[in-house]
Amino acid sequence: MTDQQQHPGPISGDLDPTTLLEQAVLAGALPPMDEHPIDVDKALAELARPLPGAAEAVARVDTGTQELAQQVADSAASFLLALREISRDTGGGGRAISLLLLEISQVLLAGARLGAQRDFTPRAEYQPDIGPETDLDPMRMRLAAILEPVDTYSLVFDPYAPEVVESQLSDDLTSIASELETGLRHFRQGNTEEALWWWQFSYVSSWGNLAGAALNALLSVVSHDRLDHEVPGEDDVLAVADEMLGGGGPAPR
């Protein structure tokens, strides 16, 4: 996989200029950001399927590889849609934290499967053109507002070369979504091996670590709220966790 880090791109192509989420909105599978409700099954079917013109490219891929790509595409689309909906939820940070724990855990399972596979190799030397990236910055800002009391956290990116750094959950979750969405755009164009290479490479190099760190941070918020900690200096953290999660008391003994 290391050799593939040099995989350059993109090359030019004649593609639909709309972004992935815009395509779903135009297809009627996804409402605009300010509208509810969402038909999850219809939206997933639109985001996680190859475009009609990609049938010939898809047919060149063996069944096992295509099935794996479809499963990862389903997980990636589900995470992207869930993050979009969580960012629109005004019901409180506690609900967001619970849902994010679930969604991150699910997408990490897809990543772990990729990490256990052989190294995927793209067919072409250059990345094919897959159109513009979706602008996820508005979603990032909404997540930052929802998670504001716990958005900034500390993480160790490499436990074998430990260095504690500060990050923001909203930034990291949006970065994960962006990398998954890039693979989805490859997949929808019929570039199955390219999609799997990108998902695998970005999981090992970036979003797998970010997802694990974000999961640990959110789990820490839940544990501070649910468990009866008696640790000096944690009063502020406990107060924030209690407020975010609705004042849950200590777990029964």
Side-chain angles (χ1 to χ4, degrees):
M1 191 180 309
T2 303
D3 292 340
Q4 297 305 320
Q5 293 180 27
Q6 302 300 320
H7 191 49
I11 59 175
S12 61
D14 183 15
L15 295 174
D16 186 343
T18 57
T19 66
L20 185 64
L21 291 180
E22 288 172 336
Q23 290 170 16
V25 171
L26 292 173
L30 196 62
M33 185 60 73
D34 56 349
E35 294 183 14
H36 282 280
I38 178 176
D39 185 332
V40 175
D41 291 337
K42 186 176 181 182
L44 280 175
E46 175 63 28
L47 289 178
R49 69 181 180 192
L51 296 169
E56 183 178 346
V58 171
R60 295 199 299 265
V61 181
D62 66 88
T63 302
T65 300
Q66 187 60 38
E67 286 179 353
L68 175 63
Q70 184 63 66
Q71 291 164 4
V72 178
D74 289 339
S75 295
S78 178
F79 182 80
L80 189 63
L81 288 172
L83 206 59
R84 179 183 188 268
E85 293 303 295
I86 290 169
S87 76
R88 302 197 307 177
D89 190 351
T90 58
R95 174 178 166 83
I97 287 172
S98 300
L99 291 173
L100 287 170
L101 274 172
L102 175 63
E103 296 300 331
I104 295 171
S105 297
Q106 290 178 336
V107 82
L108 274 171
L109 176 59
R113 292 188 63 197
L114 288 167
Q117 297 290 323
R118 62 176 174 83
D119 285 0
F120 291 101
T121 304
R123 284 180 178 269
E125 181 180 359
Y126 295 96
Q127 291 185 35
D129 191 345
I130 50 174
E133 295 182 1
T134 297
D135 181 10
L136 299 179
D137 200 53
M139 182 179 73
R140 179 190 64 79
M141 294 175 66
R142 287 190 301 273
L143 287 170
I146 291 173
L147 298 171
E148 191 275 331
V150 294
D151 194 29
T152 299
Y153 73 110
S154 298
L155 66 97
V156 175
F157 199 79
D158 184 352
Y160 294 102
E163 178 183 358
V164 178
V165 297
E166 278 197 351
S167 191
Q168 282 71 45
L169 285 168
S170 54
D171 289 349
D172 294 345
L173 291 169
T174 304
S175 178
I176 295 166
S178 178
E179 292 183 340
L180 292 171
E181 193 251 10
T182 295
L184 269 177
R185 287 184 289 130
H186 281 298
F187 177 78
R188 281 170 57 78
Q189 293 292 334
N191 306 321
T192 304
E193 287 101 336
E194 186 77 36
L196 285 169
W197 171 79
W198 174 257
W199 280 323
Q200 185 183 61
F201 167 69
S202 59
Y203 167 74
V204 173
S205 65
S206 178
W207 73 260
N209 261 324
L210 290 179
L215 184 70
N216 191 40
L218 293 168
L219 184 58
S220 179
V221 174
V222 173
S223 67
H224 280 304
D225 178 71
R226 300 289 291 275
L227 304 178
D228 187 13
H229 288 295
E230 295 292 342
V231 180
E234 288 197 342
D235 290 348
D236 291 342
V237 177
L238 290 170
V240 169
D242 187 62
E243 181 180 354
M244 289 286 291
L245 294 172
R253 299 182 184 276

